[in-house]
Each structure stands twice: as structure tokens, then as C-alpha cells.
Amino acid sequence: MSITSDSEPKARHSVGQSMKRKEDPRLIQGRGRFLDDIVLPNMLHLAIVHSPYAHARIVKIDKSAALAVPGVKAVLTGEDLTAAGLAWIPTFHGYDKQMVLAVGKVLYQYQEVAGVVATSREIANDAAELVVVEYEQLDPIVDPFVARRDGNILRDDRENKTNHIYHWEVGKRAEADAALASSEVKVKQRIYFQRCHPAPLEPCGAIADMNGASGRLTLYLTSQAPHAHRTVVSLVTGIPEDKIHVISPDIGGGFGNKVPVYAGYVVSAVGSVVLGVPVKWVETRTENLTTTGFARDYHMDVEIGASKAGKLTALKVTTVADHGAFDAAADPTKYPAGMFGVVTGSYDFPVAFTELDAYFTNKAPGGIAYRCSFRVTEASYAIERGMDLLAGELKMDPAELRSLNFLKKEQFPYQSPLGFEYDSGDYETTLRKALDRIGYTDLRREQAERRQRGELMGIGLSTFTEVVGAGPGRLFDIMGIKMFDSAEIRIHPTGSGIVRTGTRHQGQGHETTWAQIVAEELGLDPQNLRVEEGDTDTAPYGLGTYASRSTPVAGAALVKAAQRIRERARKVAAHLLEAAEDDIDWIDYKFQVKGVPGKTIGMKEIAFAAYTNPGPGNEPGLEATYYYDPPNMTFPHGAYVAVVDVDRATGATKVRRFVAIDDCGTVINPMIVEGQIHGGLTEGFAIAFMQEITFDENGNHLNPNFTDYLLPTSLETPAWETGNTVTPSPHHPIGAKGVGESPNVGSPAAFVNAVMDALAPLGIKHIDMPLTREKVWRAIRDSGA
Amino acid sequence: MFPARFDYLRASSTDEAVAALAQHGGEARILAGGQSLIPAMRFRLARPSVLIDINAIDDLRYLRETGGSLLIGAGTRDAALETSELVTSGYRMIADVSVLVADPVVRQSGTVVGSICHSDPAGDWGVAALAGRAQIVVRGPAGTRTLSADDFLVDSFTTALAENEMALEVQFPRPSEHTSGAFAKLERKVGDFATASAAVQLTLDTSGAIAEAGVAIGAVGAKALRVSEAEQLLRGAKPSKDVIRAAADAARKEADPGSDTRGSAEFKKEMAGVLVARALVSALERLGVGGMA
């Protein structure tokens, strides 16, 4: 890896320290400022009227009763928005459009049909019940395999009369088919990664404040990507971008859910334009779960070929994706199925092919990157389940099968058969560490003894590889905007400073880690480097925080901007130390005259001089900006091991232990990384065992609240055992790879593999997530054991 | 979500609460812990026009043993039972419920009497009240009356309370030295309602045979259900794996659940049996009779 200082420092100044989170005192004491904390003068409130049906024609909307309620200022419908040219807006990547408020018909249950603006939230909600919508019900489609038959075309607004959205493929079909056909051993399994929801604790919301006098629209949004949202708003409304100010305040969790633009944002903006006062919209839990971006919903046919000795020969994955009513999947423009091509995982496949077809159904749109770098979770789950199915077929230990087929560390940079260049990795070392930590050999022995007694105990592995940090501008854009990110650093005269990036954290700890990165480069105190994100008037342009891209992209921009600061500081140092600029070294976080160890000056003194005595010809002040276009993605990896016990009579599963060894390259703050791992593992645990968005045959959403969409509590969440290995990224300026998503990406397969391992003696091969007690009980019962 | 508009009255005495009930009748609901009522109001599944808050009535907040029974006042929180030496030492089945009902946060507010009055078939206290042969003391304009749990729990979300009556107290007879019980529940996560639950209470006679048995199951019917057939099978029997199996089968037969997101009817029926068997095994173990698993 490249060390950015002129010579290796003896000890790290700031990076690598478990510094306490600077944002926590504010957030823990309830002194944060979330969207719903913001109250503006004369502010009105928006409530949304939702469709009770999954598919229906709108015959008539009667606003009169709602408008008659004292305090109601406006009732907006799709017709009103049509007049403003805002009934439809483009979806995330611009390939499709979506309704803001329903026009003509509704396409999913809970779809937004009308908006009521009133003087209080309570009045708006009461009046929303009085908007009378007459519907004529239509047959819904809730299964993408039914949609595929095109017997009932859902989107009559589109030119192509089909429910098929797109076909995508990568790799060599003929070669993969041939290699599979001639493989000595083959496994094939339909694996469904169920529809889930990120369910951030803070739901989505907006306050739109149109100032009729200045013509400026201020939008407070729960936004993971405030600049992108500003550009989208400008493109869609025609308002010049300088007249739009997006502010993303403290965010209570995003997980990809706060990347898209939602109906409430647009309707509150229209409400503010029409009424001339601020309009606030904060969604309810039910609205969040039923209308905002879902994740996953991939039906994957996984085929793997191998020799009898267990050497992999080919991989083929064929997927049917359920995208709901609009193609609002959050993926970069050129990657309709995101980074699904990482489905070859950590393994050396000589040939691979994957294809995917996406379909419309009468469900809410989405397909967002839920704590996942665009479909990496689906891909990792497919390959890690597939490897265990193969191990079962070969009667081989799954750890041994993985070791045999791992990419070796000498193979990096590695060109994957599906188009990625993996930057670095050391899979064997990470796996060994995980197996040692959990005591794998002893556990296998214990398992054999328990099986003798008829007890069901399982050990499950997942040795996943992620692709994160979107991304290089030549490949990655969203609506044409390249996926670079940016940093701006201003050092004040007294040696403190302000740091801004184009990202927007939602709990990731940027206020701390960004300060650590800059402090490391400049030898300053991270406590006195204030980090600010989320205000498009002040932050440099960037694409936001999701897909584990902040550290790989904005983190790199920070290093580069800090280096620019250092180069400017070097000139001031030369002036102060009365030496030529070429004779000034940066050693141990100080400038020093070459060969004169006593003649040094620190950044704090330089900062003061930059404003008071910069030296002849030197530009005063100490600021720098950098826009970083990454040369490649980064490829974090990890080895997870789960141990479960299964109760035969009830199908209840208990995760007895879980070891997670992650490798995200250089670690900036170990405590924050560990926190990220804990959070993501808990999400993965929930996905594996309890979460799914389901619909009945009429398209009724069956999980519209936390009574039926379950979030685990501390009482059932396993105690996580974490650790790491460090394989730096060779192309990132400090070798960091990004970590936020690894645990959500890697853990579902470990849990499921462990349960399937427990059930293996009964001949049970696969159960789709979530592994509820009933599903496990039914599989045991049907096995006849 | 926001509740529909309602009026709020804070009663400072039982007299005041009963008078308010008499005035508002079916339009009013008593607010105790509010752990079921408030969510139902937020979803607008319940739209009482008046809430009569009894939380300020200190007289209703007690947990004591009098006249051979455990008396739990209508203002007493679940959490009070969890930490009560009286409960943990003398009422094993109730002690089990007290740490399994809802979650630790809900238990700080939720009340035992409120849960019984709610008569949610998946609630835990109704099941416990049946197995423990509890009595509920209710008060209306005409004075107080006492009903057995069997008579009190009428149907889903329906009790024998008249519109102008409120429940004051639940009474659990003290288990004798040769009596113990257990509560078992299957839930999707802590704090979820039961997928199925079972409460049992057994008394052994001097010969080691079962003299008295209370068996009830939850979340598998329109209300908490007493499994009379299991009680009859157990009464007079020597503890054995066979009689446990027979009692569990009786529970499967008695169970009449619907299918929902917690599971299919078939699964819940089966679980009712499994849980009755497990609760019986625990109760017998607590009575010193092992080897029944």
C-alpha cells in the first residue's frame, strides 16, 4: 500500500484509534436535529391518502368533505400534479418513470393517491380519511412468474405492452452451459432472497419551504444523497439549481431506504409552492414499510459444477427479479442488476454466466441497495448457499471445499469471469482465523456426538467477497452524473478546521472518522476538526452515502485534499524555517528541514502563519478541495461462522455462537467498525430468521407495521464475536475498503448454512429465508424423520 | 398514526371511574397500562370517545397475599410481579408468565388486570388465569361481583364486563406445597404475541398421583382455552410419559386456531400440544418428578 507521508511515521497519530464518536454526546442526549425536530414559522402539514387496493382504476376522487374540515388548506391529487407537470417523475436511473400521486389507476396497495395539507398533522390525518376515492378493482399480479406470461399488462402507460422490464446478462453462456454439462458433479437449486425492508427507525420525511420573494426552494430531506436530489429536483421541475437548497439534517438510519425520491417529497414541495408557506411531511411506520424502497426479491436458480475432487468448473445463475409497479431499483445506470456479477464470490471459477429478467408486479417499487452495494447481498447469498449445497453433494467439509477453491492472494489483481478486477484479498488467512476462533474442529466433533443422540446442531460458513465503493466514472453514473465524491478542508488560523464532503452519514460515524483521516494527514487534533455534511449550499458536490462508498470514495478525496493542504503548508513552512521548499520534509506529523531534526514546525503554527505571515508570493489561507474519481472498486471480504441448535419439536433455532472476521483493509476507527459489524449482523440475523414482506393473492401487504415485520431485540440477538484481518486496497490512498455493509451481505448465508447443516442428517437440503419456526418444523416433519 | 379524537378523564378514585363509566357507557374505555389500547387507537381499530385513566388511583396498585390468594390490583404493572419475592417463591406458573409476557419495556407499563380485560386470545395472562383458576373482581354501579376466569373471558376481545363495570382485581389461589405449574410459549421474537402458549398447574396427592390439574392454551382459538379433557385425563393419574402425551393430544384437539403471519392453523395446533407437554414436564420436575421429558 502507499503510505502518504514522506516517510513512515513511528506510530499512527489518529487513524487506527478507537476514538469515541464525536456525534454521540449530541445524539445520545437528544440534542440532535432530525427532520421532525425542525419547525418553521407558519408551517403546514401534509398527510397522504393511500390506495386500499393493489390494482384498481380510479373512477372519481371527491375532495369536498376533506376541504370542508377547518384547518385544511389544500387537497392535491394526481390531476393537480398533471397540471404542474409533476404527476410522474423519472425513477432512480431514468429508465422508467413513476407516479407521484396516482393518475388513472393505482398499481399497488398503499400507493399515494392524494395529499391533504392542513394546519396540524392531526387535522391533515383526520381529513385524509374524508377524501372519498371511488375505485374499480382490477386483477392484481403478485407473482413475477405470472407477470412473465403477459396475460395481464400492468403498465398500460408504457409503449411496450409487456410486464417484462429488462434482460441483463454477463459472462459466457455457451461455455458455462458446456462446462456444467461435462462436470462430474453438479448442484442446482432455486434460491429465493425474499423481499425485505431496511426499516430505518426514523422514517422518511421532508419540509419544503418555497420563498415566493426570493424564488428559492429550501428542501429539508431525509436524504442519503442531498446533491443528487438537488439535481433531480432541478431537472424535474425546471427550477434552476442555484434556487434549490437541500438540507439533510441528522438522519436516524438510512440503509439505502433514503436514496430514492418519494411522493411525499414532491407533494410537500408542490404544497409549499401553491400555498407559499413551508409544508412538512413525515411518514408513519406503515407508510415507510408499505411504500418506500424495498430490497432484494430475487428468485435465483444457482447451478454449480465441480470435479469429484471438489474443484469448481462452472457457475450459472439465472434470476427472476420482482421490481414491483415501477422500475425504481437503485442501481447505477450501466448496471441494471447492480453488482450482481460478483456472484462468483471468493472462488476461482474458470467460467461463469449470469442472467436476469425483471418484471412488474402490483407491489410497491424499490429494489434499493439495503446496506448493500447494489445486489451484492443477493449475489453473496446465492454463491455461499451454493457452495454449501455443493459441499453436501460432494460429502466434503464446507471449509475444505472453500479453501480448495479460494482465489489465492498471489492471484490479485484478479480478473473475474463476470467482469470485475478484484483489488486484493487473502481469503485463506481470514477463514483460518475464523475457524480457529470458533474452535471448528472441536465443534465438528461435538456435532458428531450430538447427531448420535439425535440432536440437531449445525455449523455454517460464509466466506464472502464484496464489491463496494462505486465508483470509477468510466463505469458508474446515476442519471449521467459520475459517481465520484469530494472533500473540502478549511484550516482556521488557530489550527482547528472544518471538513466537508459530498457524502451524508446516517449513523456511520463520519463526524469522527473523517476528522481522524484529516488529522492523520495533517498532524492536527481530530477533536478540533469539525465535520459537516448534508447542506448543498456549503458541501462540495458528491453522490452521497450508500453502497459502502463513503470511505472508498469520499475518504480518498479527504486524503487527497489534506495532501493539497500539506503542499500549501510546505511553502509556508519553507518561509518560516528559512529553507528552500525542496528542503522541507514531512516527518512524524511535522515539517522539518532536511537533515536538521531540531528545525521543525507543526501544522498548527503553519496554520496561524498562513493567515498572518504566509511569506512572500504564498497564497494566504489554508484551504483545499479535491474531487476523487476512484480508479477501481474495493473488494472487502470476510469469513463468518455460525453455530446453531435446532429444536426438533418446534422448529425453533438458536444461534449459539457467531464469529465474524472481516477484512476491510486499513481500519480507521476499530470501535466504529465493530459497531458497524454488530449492526449489520443483527440485520442479517433478522433477514435470515424473521423478516419478509409478503402479500396475499389480492396484493394486500401483510407486514405493514412492526407487529408483523419483526425487528429483533437485544434479547434474541446473538452475542457477536468479531475480529479482523488487514489486506489493504492497493489503489485507495490509505488502503481502506469500506465496511458498513459486509455483515449484512455476508451473514444471511452463514445462518442459513448453519441451519441446513443441522438438518442435513434428515436429508433436508434447502429452506428459503426467513427460517421461521414453522418452515423448519414443516421441513423436519416432511422429512419423515 | 394518530388516534381519532377522544376526551380524556383522569379518575382519582374507583368511585369516580365507575361514575364516569356510568355516564359514558360503551363510548368509554378504561386506560390502565395502555399497552394494547393505545396501539389499537393509533391504528384506529379502537375509537373510544372517552378514555378514563385509572393510573392516578393509588388504591388499585397492590400485590399482596390475603385469605390464601394472591391479589393483583388493576393498577399493578407486570414488572411488579417479575421482581416480587412472593410471586417467585409461591406462584411458579405466574412467575414464568411474568418474565415471558410482552417485553421488558412493555412490562413496565402493562398491567395484569388490563391484559385479562383485553381478552386477546394470544395474551398470556388469560391463559394463566384459566390454569391458575383465578377470579376477577369487578365493580359497577350496583356494587362488586366476582367471576371465575372461565366466566369472565367470553370471546376475542370480549369479557363479561358490562359497559358500566370495571375490573378491580384478579385473585390467584395460593398453590399448596404439593402444587406447582409452568408456562410455555412459542413466539417469533421477544415482545411478540404468542404463536401458541400453554399454562399448567398440577397438585399431587400423598401417593404421588395427580390430584388436581389446570391446563389452558393461548393463541389457538377465539379466546384463551381451558383443556378440560386434559385436566380429566391428568386428574387421578400417576405422572407418566403416556398421560403427558395424552394430555398434549387433548390440547391439539381443543385448539382451533386460525392461520396468520404467526403461522398456519396446522402448526399452531401442533405447537399447542408440544407446549402443553413441555409445561407439564416442567411442572412435574418442580414437584420433584423427573424423567418425564
Side-chain angles (χ1 to χ4, degrees):
Chain A
M1 69 175 277
S2 60
I3 293 291
T4 51
S5 40
D6 297 353
S7 74
E8 189 82 41
K10 289 179 193 83
R12 288 286 184 93
H13 168 80
S14 178
V15 162
Q17 317 279 334
S18 283
M19 192 176 130
K20 281 193 179 170
R21 291 181 9 135
K22 293 168 68 177
E23 44 269 76
D24 280 349
R26 181 177 94 244
L27 298 174
I28 289 170
Q29 294 176 51
R31 300 297 294 271
R33 191 175 193 235
F34 295 87
L35 185 120
D36 207 10
D37 295 325
I38 299 169
V39 177
L40 301 180
N42 304 316
M43 189 170 76
L44 301 175
H45 299 267
L46 168 68
I48 304 247
V49 177
H50 298 274
S51 167
Y53 303 116
H55 196 196
R57 205 159 294 289
I58 296 174
V59 179
K60 204 173 104 195
I61 301 179
D62 184 355
K63 306 174 177 181
S64 55
L67 280 169
V69 174
V72 171
K73 299 295 181 189
V75 177
L76 298 166
T77 63
E79 258 177 56
D80 301 317
L81 295 188
T82 304
L86 287 172
W88 293 79
I89 57 170
T91 54
F92 192 80
H93 43 51
Y95 288 153
D96 192 14
K97 54 180 185 167
Q98 60 187 342
M99 291 182 211
V100 174
L101 294 177
V103 181
K105 68 177 192 170
V106 290
L107 288 159
Y108 58 94
Q109 193 193 29
Y110 290 104
Q111 187 178 338
E112 299 86 351
V113 176
V116 178
V117 183
T119 49
S120 77
R121 199 177 281 185
E122 290 77 12
I123 292 172
N125 271 273
D126 282 349
E129 285 192 333
L130 301 175
V131 175
V132 181
V133 186
E134 197 181 312
Y135 296 96
E136 178 191 320
Q137 278 183 261
L138 302 169
D139 289 338
I141 299 181
V142 293
D143 180 343
F145 294 93
V146 173
R148 183 158 75 169
R149 292 185 217 136
D150 272 343
N152 174 2
I153 306 301
L154 304 182
R155 292 285 302 277
D156 41 24
D157 59 287
R158 282 166 63 100
E159 204 172 308
N160 288 338
K161 301 303 174 205
T162 173
N163 297 321
H164 185 239
I165 309 174
Y166 64 82
H167 173 84
W168 168 84
E169 63 177 60
V170 60
K172 296 176 176 170
R173 181 197 300 268
E175 283 89 331
D177 283 340
L180 281 168
S182 61
S183 292
E184 291 170 347
V185 180
K186 266 179 294 187
V187 288
K188 182 173 181 177
Q189 178 70 48
R190 162 75 52 86
I191 294 173
Y192 177 49
F193 202 132
Q194 78 273 27
R195 180 176 280 233
C196 328
H197 198 283
L201 282 190
E202 179 204 31
C204 300
I207 302 170
D209 182 12
M210 183 68 186
N211 184 320
S214 68
R216 209 152 189 259
L217 174 65
T218 303
L219 279 172
Y220 300 85
L221 296 178
T222 50
S223 171
Q224 295 179 232
H227 285 96
H229 283 157
R230 185 185 71 190
T231 302
V232 169
V233 171
S234 178
L235 290 172
V236 169
T237 62
I239 300 173
E241 211 166 340
D242 70 297
K243 297 281 196 294
I244 303 167
H245 182 191
V246 174
I247 299 170
S248 178
D250 280 329
I251 299 185
F255 312 112
N257 186 239
K258 290 169 180 166
V259 172
V261 172
Y262 294 120
Y265 300 178
V266 181
V267 180
S268 49
V270 171
S272 182
V273 169
V274 170
L275 298 166
V277 289
V279 174
K280 181 192 263 191
W281 169 72
V282 177
E283 68 184 1
T284 63
R285 177 60 54 200
T286 294
E287 289 176 309
N288 182 257
L289 284 169
T290 56
T291 67
T292 66
F294 73 88
R296 327 296 187 226
D297 215 343
Y298 268 23
H299 302 260
M300 305 176 286
D301 286 330
V302 180
E303 290 174 79
I304 303 179
S307 70
K308 276 182 192 155
K311 202 72 190 152
L312 296 171
T313 53
L315 172 71
K316 183 179 179 183
V317 182
T318 307
T319 300
V320 165
D322 183 343
H323 278 213
F326 307 106
D327 183 20
D331 293 300
T333 312
K334 297 187 190 75
Y335 293 83
M339 311 289 106
F340 192 78
V342 77
V343 69
T344 53
S346 309
Y347 313 106
D348 199 355
F349 278 100
V351 61
F353 174 75
T354 186
E355 63 181 332
L356 180 145
D357 290 277
Y359 296 92
F360 291 122
T361 59
N362 289 113
K363 300 176 188 171
I368 51 96
Y370 169 22
R371 205 170 186 148
C372 156
S373 178
F374 310 117
R375 307 298 189 178
V376 174
T377 311
E378 292 89 324
S380 292
Y381 181 63
I383 185 62
E384 289 303 316
R385 273 300 294 133
M387 289 299 282
D388 264 43
L389 288 162
L390 179 64
E393 189 67 28
L394 290 162
K395 303 206 175 355
M396 196 168 169
D397 184 284
E400 192 188 330
L401 177 68
R402 283 171 167 81
S403 277
L404 179 67
N405 290 287
F406 272 152
L407 297 166
K408 307 285 177 278
K409 65 178 176 192
E410 312 77 60
Q411 284 175 271
F412 295 90
Y414 163 78
Q415 288 294 333
S416 87
L418 299 181
F420 290 110
E421 184 186 298
Y422 289 21
D423 61 347
S424 62
D426 183 357
Y427 304 149
E428 184 64 26
T429 300
T430 311
L431 174 61
R432 284 301 135 203
K433 190 163 178 177
L435 296 179
D436 289 349
R437 177 81 170 271
I438 204 136
Y440 189 68
T441 316
D442 288 345
L443 282 170
R444 286 289 178 206
R445 196 176 305 126
E446 179 192 338
Q447 181 185 40
E449 289 164 14
R450 285 184 184 273
R451 280 181 176 172
Q452 290 291 321
R453 300 200 293 269
E455 294 172 21
L456 302 175
M457 166 195 169
I459 306 159
L461 300 178
S462 173
T463 51
F464 61 95
T465 289
E466 263 198 295
V467 46
V468 307
R474 66 183 191 283
L475 300 172
F476 295 95
D477 69 86
I478 289 173
M479 294 180 80
I481 303 162
K482 306 291 188 190
M483 295 185 74
F484 58 81
D485 224 291
S486 61
E488 182 204 81
I489 303 169
R490 297 180 179 186
I491 303 301
H492 306 321
T494 51
S496 61
I498 184 157
V499 174
R500 295 186 173 108
T501 59
T503 48
R504 201 326 157 215
H505 66 92
Q506 318 115 40
Q508 290 87 344
H510 293 180
E511 291 179 38
T512 310
T513 49
W514 283 183
Q516 286 180 270
I517 289 175
V518 174
E520 178 71 27
E521 295 302 320
L522 300 181
L524 290 171
D525 182 353
Q527 295 299 341
N528 293 327
L529 291 168
R530 175 179 153 67
V531 175
E532 187 189 276
E533 296 181 323
D535 185 326
T536 57
D537 271 11
T538 56
Y541 200 101
L543 273 273
T545 294
Y546 43 86
S548 284
R549 65 184 300 280
S550 295
T551 297
V553 192
L558 279 167
V559 176
K560 295 288 194 178
Q563 289 171 354
R564 281 188 170 161
I565 294 264
R566 215 160 61 203
E567 289 322 302
R568 285 184 60 178
R570 189 188 303 271
K571 292 180 197 294
V572 179
H575 162 64
L576 296 175
L577 296 171
E578 297 173 325
E581 201 186 321
D582 289 349
D583 287 337
I584 303 291
D585 282 341
W586 175 254
I587 294 173
D588 282 346
Y589 308 100
K590 287 194 288 285
F591 288 112
Q592 183 202 306
V593 178
K594 256 192 182 69
V596 191
K599 226 173 164 187
T600 64
I601 189 164
M603 193 59 76
K604 202 169 171 182
E605 293 72 34
I606 301 272
F608 198 70
Y611 291 87
T612 57
N613 175 24
N618 287 339
E619 190 183 347
L622 202 52
E623 303 184 6
T625 304
Y626 197 96
Y627 278 64
Y628 183 79
D629 181 8
N632 190 7
M633 304 289 277
T634 61
F635 294 75
H637 67 274
Y640 293 172
V641 194
V643 185
V644 303
D645 296 295
V646 179
D647 180 338
R648 263 175 191 269
T650 64
T653 48
K654 170 114 184 115
V655 178
R656 190 202 302 180
R657 284 186 68 197
F658 194 99
V659 165
I661 306 297
D662 275 278
D663 191 326
C664 61
T666 302
V667 174
I668 298 157
N669 182 319
M671 179 198 73
I672 287 179
V673 167
E674 193 185 352
Q676 288 268 37
I677 302 294
H678 279 231
L681 291 176
T682 305
E683 287 176 336
F685 168 71
I687 290 164
F689 292 108
M690 57 180 81
Q691 291 181 338
E692 180 171 24
I693 298 284
T694 52
F695 298 83
D696 70 10
E697 67 280 8
N698 295 317
N700 292 311
H701 191 296
L702 300 179
N703 314 85
N705 52 59
F706 282 161
T707 307
D708 283 312
Y709 191 76
L710 304 178
L711 298 196
T713 70
S714 61
L715 294 168
E716 55 268 319
T717 300
W720 310 118
E721 302 171 54
T722 61
N724 76 325
T725 56
V726 180
T727 311
S729 168
H731 62 77
H732 186 278
I734 58 169
K737 287 187 170 184
V739 73
E741 302 168 339
S742 298
N744 190 316
V745 167
S747 66
F751 294 117
V752 177
N753 285 342
V755 175
M756 293 310 128
D757 184 50
L759 301 179
L762 309 180
I764 297 164
K765 292 208 163 79
H766 181 75
I767 305 174
D768 278 324
M769 297 188 290
L771 300 181
T772 62
R773 286 144 181 74
E774 177 162 3
K775 280 199 214 170
V776 174
W777 168 79
R778 207 167 274 285
I780 293 170
R781 187 198 62 178
D782 293 348
S783 75
Chain B
M1 302 284 278
F2 302 89
R5 184 173 287 278
F6 62 91
D7 285 331
Y8 171 84
L9 300 175
R10 175 176 294 195
S12 53
S13 67
T14 308
D15 289 347
E16 221 177 289
V18 173
L21 272 178
Q23 191 189 335
H24 299 285
E27 300 298 303
R29 291 290 297 273
I30 297 281
L31 174 69
Q35 299 301 295
S36 297
L37 179 58
I38 300 294
M41 288 172 65
R42 288 176 63 245
F43 284 115
R44 301 198 169 186
L45 298 171
R47 289 174 178 248
S49 55
V50 182
L51 279 191
I52 302 167
D53 185 348
I54 60 165
N55 284 283
I57 308 176
D58 291 338
D59 295 353
L60 290 177
R61 202 169 292 196
Y62 55 84
L63 178 65
R64 59 173 177 258
E65 208 172 37
T66 307
S69 283
L70 180 70
L71 311 184
I72 306 170
T76 302
R77 316 285 170 193
D78 291 333
L81 278 74
E82 199 175 345
T83 52
S84 157
E85 172 71 25
L86 177 63
V87 171
T88 48
S89 64
Y91 298 82
R92 294 299 296 271
M93 183 264 290
I94 294 172
D96 282 359
V97 177
S98 76
V99 294
L100 287 174
V101 62
D103 62 43
V105 178
V106 169
R107 294 201 290 267
Q108 299 301 315
S109 296
T111 63
V112 180
V113 173
S115 167
I116 293 172
C117 288
H118 189 52
S119 191
D120 186 324
D124 297 339
W125 285 118
V127 188
L130 288 176
R133 301 199 189 279
Q135 305 238 297
I136 293 98
V137 181
V138 309
R139 187 179 156 194
T144 59
R145 59 188 181 123
T146 302
L147 290 86
S148 69
D150 300 74
D151 291 339
F152 186 79
L153 300 168
V154 173
D155 205 341
S156 290
F157 309 106
T158 307
T159 65
L161 277 175
E163 277 183 3
N164 56 9
E165 283 181 318
M166 66 177 283
L168 297 183
E169 177 181 282
V170 58
Q171 308 175 337
F172 282 91
R174 183 181 173 83
S176 74
E177 205 183 320
H178 305 289
T179 300
S180 194
F183 176 75
K185 146 161 114 167
L186 193 71
E187 55 187 1
R188 296 176 301 176
K189 61 169 247 188
V190 172
D192 187 26
F193 281 101
T195 303
S197 65
V200 306
Q201 194 155 283
L202 299 177
T203 304
L204 298 185
D205 65 18
T206 45
S207 74
I210 298 166
E212 192 46 67
V215 179
I217 49 181
V220 288
K223 56 174 182 163
L225 302 173
R226 178 181 297 287
V227 191
S228 304
E229 190 189 328
E231 292 174 349
Q232 283 157 23
L233 287 165
L234 291 162
R235 215 172 280 137
K238 286 270 186 198
S240 71
K241 287 184 180 180
D242 283 344
V243 75
I244 290 171
R245 200 172 303 124
D249 284 341
R252 287 183 182 91
K253 219 159 67 186
E254 181 70 31
D256 184 20
S259 296
D260 59 21
T261 51
R262 291 191 177 81
S264 68
E266 184 191 17
F267 177 63
K268 291 180 191 177
K269 242 174 136 58
E270 172 60 21
M271 290 308 109
V274 170
L275 295 173
V276 162
R278 287 187 177 178
L280 288 170
V281 169
S282 300
L284 287 168
E285 245 166 42
R286 288 166 177 181
L287 288 164
V289 183
M292 292 292 138

